């Protein structure tokens, strides 16, 4: 069984932060004794070199440098990294290259240096424009720094930039949440990630939980914020992502469309299709920087092949995060399974009003978007056909 090779992206993980935030469950480590920038970049490029057999003749359509806080690296370091990537892999002519950054690590000279290095999109971790709320979230930047970072991004020759903004913060009212969102909109970012704070396991907030708004208040924030974004020309295209026309994050779109991505760096995850064997692999790299940079062990920590019984859930878990219609033929092309294998779950979802279906597309309904987890559980352990 051969599979259609989907588009290919590259994720690069830089695990260091100035300070670990209490809500963060990402693989990040507070800087204690300096950052081994050059050594880590050498390891990243060696890691990529070892993964090149999974490229299978494709161009890289997007690169996302995430963390952690990648902007703790110098512009010269990012330039060296991207030059090394270009030497090893072919990038598409319009490759989207995103760098995550925090406002507190922004300096005009460094920021322009990232652009000179080839970065053409920034994702700025604002989270809030309220100083008391920033303090409650453990953020080390101020509201003014967040505003200045967004204003600086708007002056540079970027293809786009994103602001990350949280809502449902401890003690937050609807009015406070809308004030945050209005300030973000006033800065005119082409893309806004607007998502609810959740308490994740193994975080400082999990051990000392703050008091979050009640469900009714959270729903009011969500509804009013959604209407405000629509009224200001933003289109929701994913569960927590809004963009101006044509400004969707191409890297994230490839994730949700069940595309392939190489993951390099500490704890980075990847998804790879092997066309000839008809296999789909999930990969992850060694999580801790010390272990990752240990020359006596491989970068690859885990590799597993997805079973056919896992594929319907894996495919729809990604595809149904998007509000766009899903072409029916992509399911068979990217999984190797017949459309008939999904029919019991599809018909049940349609009956429940969670999904619409014509001969060409599946489309999540507004109800399905609201109860996405209920929709996805219908695709667990689908039988083969």
């Amino acid at each position: 069984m051969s599979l259609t090779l989907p588009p290919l992206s590259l994720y690069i993980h830089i695990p260091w932060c100035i300070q670990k935030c209490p809500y963060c469950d990402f693989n990040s480590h507070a800087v204690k004794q300096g950052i081994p920038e050059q050594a880590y970049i050498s390891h990243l490029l060696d890691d990529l070199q070892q993964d090149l057999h999974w490229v299978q003749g494709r161009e890289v359509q997007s690169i996302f440098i995430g963390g952690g806080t990648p902007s703790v690296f110098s512009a010269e370091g990012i330039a060296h990294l991207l030059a090394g990537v270009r030497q090893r892999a072919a990038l598409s002519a319009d490759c989207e290259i995103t760098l995550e950054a925090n406002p507190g690590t922004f300096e005009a000279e460094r920021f322009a240096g990232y652009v000179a290095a080839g970065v053409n999109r920034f994702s700025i971790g604002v989270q809030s424009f309220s100083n008391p709320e920033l303090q409650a979230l453990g953020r080390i930047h101020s509201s003014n720094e967040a505003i200045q970072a967004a204003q600086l991004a708007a002056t540079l020759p970027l293809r786009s930039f994103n602001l990350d903004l949280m809502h449902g913060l401890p003690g937050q009212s609807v009015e406070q949440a809308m004030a945050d969102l209005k300030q973000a909109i006033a800065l005119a970012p082409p893309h806004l990630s607007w998502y609810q704070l959740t308490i994740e396991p193994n975080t400082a907030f999990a051990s000392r939980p703050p008091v979050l708004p009640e469900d009714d208040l959270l729903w009011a924030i969500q509804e009013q914020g959604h209407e405000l974004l629509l009224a200001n020309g933003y289109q929701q295209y994913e569960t927590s992502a809004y963009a101006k026309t044509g400004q969707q994050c191409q890297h994230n779109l490839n994730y949700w469309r069940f595309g392939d991505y190489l993951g390099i760096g500490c704890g980075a995850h990847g998804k790879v299709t092997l066309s000839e064997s008809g296999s789909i692999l999930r990969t992850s790299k060694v999580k801790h920087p010390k272990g990752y940079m240990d020359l006596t062990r491989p970068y690859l920590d885990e590799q597993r092949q997805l079973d056919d019984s896992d594929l319907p859930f894996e495919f729809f878990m990604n595809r149904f995060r998007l509000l766009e219609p899903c072409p029916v033929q992509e399911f068979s092309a990217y999984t190797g399974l017949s459309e008939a294998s999904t029919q019991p779950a599809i018909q049940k979802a349609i009956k429940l009003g969670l999904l619409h279906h014509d001969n060409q597309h599946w489309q999540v309904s507004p109800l399905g978007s609201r109860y996405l987890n209920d929709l996805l559980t219908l695709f667990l352990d689908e039988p083969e056909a």
Side-chain angles (χ1 to χ4, degrees), residues 25-89:
D25 68 337
F26 295 139
N27 182 30
S28 59
H29 304 266
V31 175
K32 295 180 180 178
Q33 298 177 336
I35 299 172
E37 181 176 305
Q38 291 304 316
Y40 187 71
I41 290 171
S42 295
H43 282 282
L44 286 172
L45 295 175
D46 287 345
D47 189 358
L48 175 59
Q49 185 70 40
Q50 293 181 24
D51 282 0
L52 289 181
H53 62 287
W54 284 327
V55 172
Q56 301 169 92
R58 290 171 289 182
E59 292 183 333
V60 175
Q61 303 297 318
S62 66
I63 299 172
F64 196 100
I65 306 172
T69 307
S71 55
V72 299
F73 272 27
S74 67
E76 294 77 14
I78 296 300
H80 176 53
L81 171 62
L82 290 176
V85 171
R86 290 188 182 94
Q87 289 171 1
R88 290 162 175 79

Side-chain angles (χ1 to χ4, degrees), residues 24 44 76 78 178 181 240 262 266 283 337:
C24 178
L44 286 172
E76 294 77 14
I78 296 300
M178 292 307 101
L181 194 51
S240 57
L262 304 179
C266 297
T283 65
L337 302 178

Side-chain angles (χ1 to χ4, degrees), residues 307-326:
D307 295 331
D308 285 356
S309 60
D310 296 329
L311 285 172
F313 179 77
E314 288 272 346
F315 180 85
F316 291 117
M317 176 182 64
N318 289 277
R319 213 46 177 88
F320 285 167
R321 282 185 64 99
L322 293 174
L323 274 65
E324 67 180 19
C326 170

Side-chain angles (χ1 to χ4, degrees), residues 316 320 326 328 339-340 342-369 371-372 374-379 382:
F316 291 117
F320 285 167
C326 170
V328 170
E339 182 193 343
T342 70
Q343 282 309 298
I346 291 289
Q347 293 305 316
K348 189 170 184 179
I350 292 170
K351 186 176 181 180
L352 292 171
L354 304 175
L355 194 67
H356 303 307
H357 182 206
D358 59 30
N359 291 331
Q360 303 296 324
H361 299 92
W362 292 303
Q363 173 73 66
V364 179
S365 70
L367 186 66
S369 293
Y371 295 101
L372 185 58
D374 295 309
L375 171 58
L376 294 176
T377 56
L378 299 176
F379 295 93
E382 275 295 293

Side-chain angles (χ1 to χ4, degrees), residues 277-317:
S277 67
S279 302
I280 298 176
L281 306 178
R282 292 283 190 189
T283 65
S284 61
K285 302 299 173 62
V286 174
K287 190 171 183 180
H288 196 277
K290 184 176 181 180
Y292 179 80
M293 293 191 288
D294 182 349
L295 293 174
T296 66
R297 62 186 296 182
Y299 299 116
L300 186 64
D301 185 49
E302 183 181 359
Q303 174 181 311
R304 65 181 181 90
Q305 180 177 328
L306 296 180
D307 295 331
D308 285 356
S309 60
D310 296 329
L311 285 172
F313 179 77
E314 288 272 346
F315 180 85
F316 291 117
M317 176 182 64

